[in-house]
Amino acid sequence: MHARPNKRCARSRHRVRLSLVRVASAGIFAIDAALRGWYGVRAYSYADGVLLRIADEKSDTQVSLEDGSRILPGDPVLDLHIWNERVAVLGLPGRNLGWACR
């Protein structure tokens, strides 16, 4: 004979897992916030659909662009960062890879 699963136990395990996920998420977001502050990463726009953040950097190499202009070492450039919290909503209706590329 098989014992019937205890619904109360299953709910309790689910609550424990959910609590661990919440604690882990809070920790990850705290680390992410600290790193953004350390590296100077900020939003350039809070408009819906913006998936990038920026940080001011200096070029460490010379780059020749197609139009003939050059970026020299030490020139100011913007470093692009993916806005992780906004990428997570890709699962919503209408949010797919095509939407992300646009």
Side-chain angles (χ1 to χ4, degrees):
M1 241 190 198
H2 294 287
R4 293 178 63 192
N6 185 336
K7 288 183 182 180
R8 191 175 293 170
C9 247
R11 280 192 299 257
S12 178
R13 281 193 305 271
H14 176 72
R15 278 194 292 265
V16 168
R17 276 194 296 260
L18 190 56
S19 294
L20 290 173
V21 167
R22 287 181 179 149
V23 168
S25 293
I28 290 167
F29 283 116
I31 292 168
D32 186 56
L35 288 171
R36 281 195 322 269
W38 179 267
Y39 290 106
V41 177
R42 66 189 186 287
Y44 66 90
S45 171
Y46 289 95
D48 288 342
V50 174
L51 296 176
L52 297 174
R53 292 177 177 157
I54 58 172
D56 295 318
E57 296 287 337
K58 299 241 184 244
S59 176
D60 54 358
T61 60
Q62 180 173 320
V63 179
S64 296
L65 302 176
E66 198 171 301
D67 68 355
S69 56
R70 279 193 263 172
I71 299 172
L72 301 173
D75 283 351
V77 294
L78 288 177
D79 195 13
L80 299 177
H81 296 259
I82 294 178
W83 197 331
N84 296 329
E85 297 86 347
R86 292 199 170 182
V87 173
V89 296
L90 284 174
L92 295 176
R95 304 252 174 126
N96 53 31
L97 188 56
W99 170 85
C101 290
R102 283 191 295 280

